[in-house]
Amino acid sequence: MDVSDENVVDRLAQEWQGKYELIDIIVNCAGVSGPFGAVWEVPAEQVNWTLDTNLKGTVNIARGFIPLMLRNKSKPQYFITVSSHLGLVTEAHLFSYQMAKHGIVAFTEVLEKDLHRIDASIQSAVFFPFFVKSNLAHSDRHLTHKQQDLYVALESEAFLKAIQRETEQGMEAVEAANVLFDGLEAGAFYIFTDRQTKQEFKVRVEHIFERSFPK
């Protein structure tokens, strides 16, 4: 399913509405790594593809399904977005992915304020997985229908290989899911799988307050 296409998402929401009465939980986990390279090098088309899938896709799911969830005012429901370790900190080589994941954090915070304003029975949360076993670092398979290769600059190849290695050796998906549900049960809004994300984010915030350059 192409979550970047609002018409596809709207049709799915309509189909769901015709088959089921309630939605207990939605987890927005569709995502691609995007191109690897400097800001001025990567193809604009692949930047748009990354933002459309990772960020616009999350918005489309919210616009399509939250109106259905709002009809149920008696049972708690959950709308979960998946950001990333790189949704709070930054690295070179992967700017479009990080733009999207930082945007998801802001989106979910605003969504929570909107839901709170109308006293909705929907609990939102944003999930920050560190490295979880997945095919994220092999997103080039999604570009095959466009007859092009994922852009990887020569100086970014080592970074891509490191990402591939870490995702191959990362946390099992079931373990990450358990962390997520434990966080929801505890009533958390920001849910982390690893302390390192919080530690690196704290350093970033210190740099911001000190008005120093990113490192």
Side-chain angles (χ1 to χ4, degrees):
M1 183 179 114
D2 185 0
V3 295
S4 69
D5 187 334
E6 60 267 28
N7 294 320
V8 171
V9 175
D10 288 344
R11 284 197 297 271
L12 179 62
Q14 292 170 4
E15 293 174 4
W16 183 279
Q17 183 178 5
K19 293 181 181 179
Y20 307 99
E21 294 183 3
L22 300 176
I23 299 174
D24 293 316
I25 183 169
I26 289 179
V27 180
N28 292 269
C29 59
V32 294
S33 68
F36 291 77
V39 172
W40 57 88
E41 292 179 335
V42 298
E45 181 183 11
Q46 294 192 18
V47 173
N48 293 335
W49 164 67
T50 308
L51 295 175
D52 286 348
T53 303
N54 295 1
L55 182 55
K56 183 184 174 185
T58 298
V59 175
N60 287 340
I61 293 293
R63 288 173 54 83
F65 283 89
I66 284 183
L68 304 182
M69 300 173 76
L70 289 173
R71 297 178 183 180
N72 175 25
K73 300 183 181 298
S74 59
K75 184 179 179 181
Q77 302 162 95
Y78 301 92
F79 188 90
I80 313 305
T81 62
V82 178
S83 181
S84 167
H85 171 76
L86 293 177
L88 289 177
V89 300
T90 55
E91 295 284 351
H93 306 288
L94 201 59
F95 86 92
S96 55
Y97 177 83
Q98 293 172 90
M99 282 178 62
K101 292 303 184 177
H102 278 74
I104 284 174
V105 178
F107 166 79
T108 315
E109 290 173 346
V110 174
L111 172 64
E112 174 59 27
K113 293 178 181 182
D114 285 340
L115 293 172
H116 180 76
R117 178 171 51 84
I118 63 172
D119 196 26
S121 61
I122 303 173
Q123 177 184 338
S124 63
V126 57
F127 188 41
F128 299 94
F130 194 51
F131 284 109
V132 177
K133 288 184 179 179
S134 71
N135 291 320
L136 178 67
H138 298 280
S139 298
D140 52 318
R141 67 194 190 282
H142 296 296
L143 276 169
T144 54
H145 68 288
K146 297 181 180 180
Q147 297 182 338
Q148 59 181 273
D149 296 325
L150 183 70
Y151 182 86
V152 181
L154 182 62
E155 64 272 17
S156 299
E157 289 181 354
F159 182 79
L160 170 58
K161 290 180 180 178
I163 295 292
Q164 291 173 336
R165 182 174 61 253
E166 292 292 347
T167 52
E168 290 170 359
Q169 301 173 355
M171 176 183 288
E172 295 288 347
V174 171
E175 185 180 355
N178 288 336
V179 172
L180 172 61
F181 283 105
D182 287 345
L184 294 177
E185 186 175 358
F189 178 79
Y190 304 97
I191 303 175
F192 302 87
T193 63
D194 194 279
R195 291 182 179 180
Q196 185 172 337
T197 302
K198 291 187 283 187
Q199 292 169 346
E200 292 188 18
F201 179 58
K202 182 179 179 181
V203 172
R204 178 173 178 242
V205 171
E206 290 172 351
H207 287 163
I208 292 172
F209 280 112
E210 293 169 358
R211 300 185 296 176
S212 59
F213 287 92
K215 298 178 180 178

